[in-house]
Amino acid sequence: MSDLQEVDETTFDELVLRADKPVLVEFWAQWCGPCHQILPVLTQIGAERNDQLTVVKLNADENPAISAAYRVMALPTLMLFHHGQPIWAVVGARPKAKLLKELDDALLATV
């Protein structure tokens, strides 16, 4: 299973804010257990939905300016960006089916 692409302060604008399709960003940290739990689910979603959205991860500890800019207060935080704007966010790990339902609802609002 491949790991998610990592973004940071040098690549965030290009890969997330200027992306041509929605981008789901996982704000995570090495010490965060639930972040590691949800990673396989996010990797699966990224592979299954790569025509519809891009899934990336951002280490909140190593990129505090971005975390602060988007008011990330707890990890993992999942944030969906579309046309450079955050359009949906959720805190905490959740089952794949629930996450897909929430993502689909958020993506429908972008159409």
Side-chain angles (χ1 to χ4, degrees):
M1 188 177 306
S2 68
D3 211 2
L4 292 181
Q5 180 177 4
E6 184 100 29
V7 296
D8 60 25
E9 291 174 358
T10 63
T11 59
F12 188 81
D13 282 2
E14 177 188 349
L15 298 177
V16 176
L17 300 182
R18 292 198 298 263
D20 57 357
K21 61 184 173 182
V23 181
L24 179 64
V25 179
E26 178 201 15
F27 290 84
W28 75 285
Q30 192 62 46
W31 51 262
C32 169
C35 297
H36 293 284
Q37 280 181 311
I38 199 169
L39 185 59
V41 170
L42 294 175
T43 302
Q44 288 174 1
I45 291 171
E48 293 167 4
R49 302 284 181 98
N50 67 351
D51 59 327
Q52 194 178 11
L53 78 154
T54 302
V55 183
V56 298
K57 63 183 185 175
L58 180 131
N59 187 314
D61 286 344
E62 295 175 2
N63 300 279
I66 295 173
S67 301
Y70 292 102
R71 295 182 174 87
V72 174
M73 305 298 258
L75 300 176
T77 292
L78 304 177
M79 196 171 292
L80 185 65
F81 288 81
H82 187 59
H83 297 303
Q85 298 297 317
I87 60 167
W88 174 84
V90 67
V91 176
R94 54 218 333 100
K96 182 179 178 185
K98 181 173 170 57
L99 181 56
L100 282 173
K101 168 81 171 87
E102 293 171 342
L103 265 176
D104 286 344
D105 290 348
L107 288 168
L108 277 175
T110 69
V111 181

